[in-house]
Amino acid sequence: LKSKLKKIIFILFIISILLISYGLFFESAFSQKLIGFGTIILFFIVFPLFSYYRWKDKKIEDYYLNNENLKKFKENNDL
């Protein structure tokens, strides 16, 4: 599942970059729409999928800024 999701994210990223590039560099009647669709794909599909893929197996509690984690941070770093 991980490699499939990674491939899907990569393919959608390439498609969105191609749409945006084609809309910017080639003059056509619908170039504005290509730029818009590429941007929508990138920000509403690719970025959330990428975020899910990267954070799927992580514990959110490790990233909280609470007293326990602040103590660990101070102990591990000589500030």
Side-chain angles (χ1 to χ4, degrees):
L1 180 69
K2 261 189 168 179
S3 64
K4 282 186 180 181
L5 187 58
K6 191 174 181 179
K7 288 177 186 176
I8 289 170
I9 292 169
F10 182 72
I11 289 169
L12 286 173
F13 175 74
I14 295 298
I15 288 171
S16 65
I17 295 299
L18 288 174
L19 284 173
I20 293 169
S21 300
Y22 187 82
L24 286 174
F25 295 118
F26 297 106
E27 293 294 325
S28 65
F30 52 90
S31 63
Q32 295 283 328
K33 291 185 181 183
L34 291 176
I35 295 170
F37 287 134
T39 306
I40 286 172
I41 290 170
L42 189 63
F43 286 103
F44 290 113
I45 297 174
V46 174
F47 284 166
L49 280 177
F50 177 76
S51 297
Y52 171 75
Y53 170 74
R54 294 295 292 172
W55 283 79
K56 185 171 52 172
D57 298 325
K58 309 259 180 178
K59 291 182 353 184
I60 299 297
E61 291 83 23
D62 292 340
Y63 300 98
Y64 286 159
L65 192 61
N66 55 20
N67 288 332
E68 181 182 334
N69 288 343
L70 284 173
K71 287 179 191 176
K72 287 181 191 176
F73 180 72
K74 288 179 183 178
E75 290 172 1
N76 292 334
N77 293 323
D78 296 326
L79 295 177

